[in-house]
Amino acid sequence: MDLWKVPLLFSRLHMFPFFDLAHYVASVVALKEQRGAVEVSVRSPFACWFSAMLYCFGGSLLSSLMLAEPPVAFLAKGANILLASSVWYLVFYCPQDIFCRCFSFLPLRLLVAGMKEVTRTWKIAAGVAHADSHFKDAWLVMVAVGWARGAGGGLISNFEQLVRGVWKPETNELLKMSYPVKITLIGAVLFTLQHSQYLPIARHNLVFLYTIFLVIFKVKMMLTRCATSPLAPLEAALGHVLFGLGKAPSKVKGESATSSNRSSTCDRPSEQHHDGVKKRQAKKTE
């Protein structure tokens, strides 16, 4: 087999059932690791199940809302719902927590994480193409829907937290984006440019290269246990050049120091004047 055919064959992979299964396992396990999720599973199994479905199908739900489509359309995929629900039950209610103990095996976790990143690529590409079918050549719509389809679980995290009775507005992904949300946005831009024929690369080649990038960095972050985004140096450089983010704290400190010095110098004459008044009053009393 010729090497140039590998990206083409890779782009023809079917996500159901194995890759979707990996996505459901990684998503539900991530939900269980959230603080208070186990307590919710005991107190209200339905709320826990609904939160798990938001983790698994958040991208479909959010993209449907953005395109004025029925948000419950993902429930029509009975096989996917049954598979995700089975994973949810095993993760939260398996006797002796056997399922999660098996999943804690590092090679298995790496395999599942890599397969989940493959589904991310497919969702981004599908979201961009789906948006183009509704709004022809609408770049922003294509980027937004591709982003929502690929990272919907993170973008609706505040709503998912409300289902579990938690309200943390400071965790809004728009305020502080996580690495998956950032890299999905970049992927949505790339696939939009490719779909609009402004990026001179075949779709299957872009799918292959982008997926390899996602898998390599995901595995690297898990092996090194590094939570820092590999895009951090680029973000810092762009933020400094475009928005002056690196200058803001020092400038504010300088202004505050200057204002404090000015206030102290302004207070000195008033203090001297106050002391002079006291001395004159003392002489009069004498």
Side-chain angles (χ1 to χ4, degrees):
M1 183 179 63
D2 297 331
L3 291 178
W4 65 270
K5 292 184 179 179
V6 173
L8 182 61
L9 296 175
F10 179 77
S11 65
R12 294 175 180 175
L13 286 175
H14 295 285
M15 295 295 101
F16 187 84
F18 299 110
F19 287 91
D20 284 339
L21 176 61
H23 167 66
Y24 301 150
V25 171
S27 300
V28 179
V29 170
L31 170 62
K32 188 176 182 180
E33 293 174 351
Q34 298 297 315
R35 180 178 298 179
V38 177
E39 288 77 6
V40 173
S41 67
V42 176
R43 186 171 65 253
S44 176
F46 178 75
C48 181
W49 174 83
F50 191 64
S51 294
M53 295 304 103
L54 291 178
Y55 260 77
C56 296
F57 303 100
S60 299
L61 174 64
L62 184 58
S63 61
S64 297
L65 289 173
M66 295 175 68
L67 294 175
E69 296 177 346
V72 295
F74 71 93
L75 295 175
K77 300 178 180 179
N80 294 77
I81 295 295
L82 180 60
L83 184 61
S85 300
S86 301
V87 171
W88 161 76
Y89 185 84
L90 290 174
V91 169
F92 280 94
Y93 303 103
C94 185
Q96 304 298 323
D97 206 17
I98 297 176
F99 186 86
C100 290
R101 289 181 180 179
C102 294
F103 183 72
S104 62
F105 185 52
L106 182 58
L108 182 58
R109 295 193 66 175
L110 295 177
L111 176 63
V112 170
M115 294 175 70
K116 176 180 170 63
E117 296 306 314
V118 175
T119 64
R120 188 187 305 278
T121 303
W122 260 248
K123 290 176 182 179
I124 296 172
V128 170
H130 188 58
D132 185 60
S133 64
H134 284 69
F135 301 92
K136 196 66 178 177
D137 296 329
W139 284 27
L140 292 179
V141 177
M142 294 162 68
V143 171
V145 175
W147 188 28
R149 183 72 69 88
L155 293 173
I156 65 170
S157 58
N158 288 112
F159 176 67
E160 182 276 325
Q161 290 170 357
L162 283 177
V163 174
R164 292 187 285 113
V166 179
W167 174 239
K168 293 182 178 180
E170 68 275 5
T171 62
N172 189 342
E173 285 286 351
L174 297 180
L175 294 176
K176 188 177 181 181
M177 290 188 189
S178 60
Y179 167 72
V181 174
K182 292 177 184 177
I183 201 64
T184 303
L185 177 58
I186 295 175
V189 173
L190 292 176
F191 279 97
T192 298
L193 293 176
Q194 188 279 328
H195 191 82
S196 303
Q197 298 182 352
Y198 287 96
L199 192 64
I201 185 174
R203 181 179 180 275
H204 59 270
N205 289 330
L206 180 59
V207 166
F208 182 75
L209 294 175
Y210 181 73
T211 305
I212 293 297
F213 174 83
L214 290 181
V215 172
I216 289 176
F217 277 96
K218 182 64 176 181
V219 171
K220 178 183 176 183
M221 292 175 67
M222 292 181 66
L223 289 176
T224 58
R225 297 182 180 181
C226 178
T228 305
S229 170
L231 303 175
L234 179 62
E235 294 174 14
L238 291 178
H240 179 74
V241 173
L242 298 178
F243 306 106
L245 297 181
K247 299 177 181 179
S250 60
K251 187 176 180 181
V252 172
K253 289 180 181 178
E255 291 178 353
S256 61
T258 304
S259 60
S260 62
N261 291 334
R262 289 177 180 175
S263 61
S264 62
T265 54
C266 292
D267 291 340
R268 289 172 186 172
S270 61
E271 292 176 356
Q272 294 175 356
H273 176 72
H274 185 65
D275 293 339
V277 171
K278 283 185 175 181
K279 290 180 179 178
R280 287 196 295 269
Q281 291 178 352
K283 288 181 179 179
K284 289 179 180 180
T285 56
E286 290 175 355

